[in-house]
Amino acid sequence: MQKNVLDTDLSGKVAVVTGAGGVLCSAFAKVLARAGAKVALLDLNEEAAASFAAEINAEGGVARAYKCNVLDKAACYAVADAVAADLGPCDILVNGAGGNNPRATTDHEYYMPGDIDADTKSFFDLEPEGVEFVFNLNFLGTLLPTQAFARQMVGRTGCNILNISSMNAYTPLTKIPAYSGAKAAVSNFTQWLAVHFSKAGIRVNAIAPGFFATKQNAALLFNPDGTPTARTGKILAATPMGRFGDAETELAGAVLFLLNEKAASFITGVCIPIDGGFSAYSGV
Ligand SMILES: NC(=O)c1ccc[n+]([C@@H]2O[C@H](COP(=O)([O-])OP(=O)(O)OC[C@H]3O[C@@H](n4cnc5c(N)ncnc54)[C@H](O)[C@@H]3O)[C@@H](O)[C@H]2O)c1
């Protein structure tokens, strides 16, 4: 009998994951290693990347950590050379480094009369540097590693790029205008790259994670007695499935599917929401 088409086997592939010292991307690195790929874990925080690489190697996988600032083009190119020398040319790039910054976040959801003069960070207090930081990290931080690693993919078969967008790319979340706009740009760029590389044997897709409970954010989501915080209550009310996703298990399927050369061979330029229905729900 034929095997299930989604038995993703990445043996012999070299996968590069940026932001791999972080919560979601360290989990992606493990998923790719368990599927057989040799994994390069890139992060500004080399120590964090190295500790996850060590965990993968201890499990019997092949992983190596590299310090890399995804906003430094020369550094991206240098790391791309190092990865190629150590592990081989890159087949899979996961552009995971990204995130928001308090400097690009308003204190309140809504502008209220008087806020402009109040001791609160309103829309009018956002400085260009904070907004620029978030746009650069998410958009340029996807573009520059793609330039560095896609050079190793062109002209070969079975190569893939996976970008990480977000729920707020569809409808912006309150308080975080720059992060929302930057992730919308990442979704848009995913389509652009998919078209641009369509003749070069490189598929380019994205996932848009919704809300995931992790050890790191549990204290923000729940009160010490286990009851949801006010913000958690709003998130859960806006999530038709009524719960958070599990970062360890509920992103892996979409990642492996999009990278699977048999199951997803004709899929490029899509962004899959993984959000328990959040992006589909109007609230009514
Ligand atoms: N956590 C969520 O619920 C969620 C939801 C939607 C989208 N995302 C996106 O998923 C991705 C991973 O998120 P996460 O929650 O794991 O974040 P995280 O903060 O845990 O990890 C991000 C990692 O990126 C690294 N990094 C930051 N700036 C860098 C730079 N200039 N160069 C190289 N590395 C750099 C950090 O050191 C960190 O290890 C991000 O793109 C994020 O925007 C996360």
Side-chain angles (χ1 to χ4, degrees):
M1 210 191 320
Q2 199 191 342
K3 269 181 126 181
N4 184 327
V5 79
L6 194 52
D7 188 13
T8 304
D9 179 7
L10 302 179
S11 305
K13 302 263 188 197
V14 173
V16 174
V17 181
T18 74
V23 178
L24 299 190
C25 294
S26 59
F28 299 157
K30 286 181 190 171
V31 164
L32 302 186
R34 286 171 193 152
K38 290 181 273 182
V39 185
L41 292 90
L42 275 52
D43 206 291
L44 204 50
N45 182 346
E46 190 178 12
E47 215 176 300
S51 79
F52 290 119
E55 285 180 25
I56 291 171
N57 289 322
E59 269 187 27
V62 177
R64 204 162 166 146
Y66 299 83
K67 184 179 177 73
C68 179
N69 179 358
V70 294
L71 299 178
D72 180 341
K73 183 169 177 175
C76 291
Y77 274 65
V79 167
D81 286 346
V83 171
D86 294 339
L87 303 175
C90 174
D91 300 285
I92 293 166
L93 171 65
V94 179
N95 280 311
N100 188 37
N101 187 278
R103 288 181 296 161
T105 305
T106 62
D107 282 347
H108 300 299
E109 294 192 315
Y110 302 102
Y111 180 82
M112 293 306 212
D115 277 358
I116 195 166
D117 299 318
D119 185 20
T120 178
K121 194 183 349 140
S122 82
F123 169 70
F124 300 101
D125 299 310
L126 299 180
E127 296 296 344
E129 293 76 15
V131 173
E132 192 174 48
F133 176 87
V134 173
F135 264 89
N136 282 350
L137 176 57
N138 291 280
F139 185 74
L140 259 190
T142 297
L143 186 144
L144 296 178
T146 300
Q147 287 181 316
F149 286 99
R151 295 168 80 80
Q152 300 175 0
M153 299 180 183
V154 289
R156 298 165 55 231
T157 53
C159 293
N160 259 283
I161 297 169
L162 184 71
N163 294 333
I164 313 299
S165 184
S166 171
M167 265 319 90
N168 53 43
Y170 301 90
T171 307
L173 301 187
T174 55
K175 299 190 190 179
I176 52 173
Y179 184 57
S180 300
K183 286 301 191 187
V186 169
S187 291
N188 187 279
F189 185 49
T190 301
Q191 295 177 307
W192 188 90
L193 281 172
V195 172
H196 193 66
F197 285 135
S198 57
K199 320 266 189 241
I202 307 171
R203 295 187 299 108
V204 188
N205 293 296
I207 56 169
F211 295 90
F212 284 79
T214 61
K215 278 183 232 125
Q216 287 76 2
N217 66 10
L220 294 172
L221 300 176
F222 297 98
N223 299 312
D225 65 0
T227 55
T229 63
R231 181 166 160 79
T232 293
K234 283 181 82 168
I235 292 170
L236 294 178
T239 303
M241 289 178 75
R243 65 173 175 86
F244 288 99
D246 181 82
E248 296 280 318
T249 58
E250 293 189 304
L251 293 164
V255 169
L256 288 172
F257 167 65
L258 289 171
L259 298 180
N260 187 306
E261 280 308 308
K262 281 192 220 143
S265 56
F266 200 46
I267 299 178
T268 194
V270 306
C271 181
I272 299 186
I274 308 168
D275 65 346
F278 183 91
S279 60
Y281 185 44
S282 74
V284 178

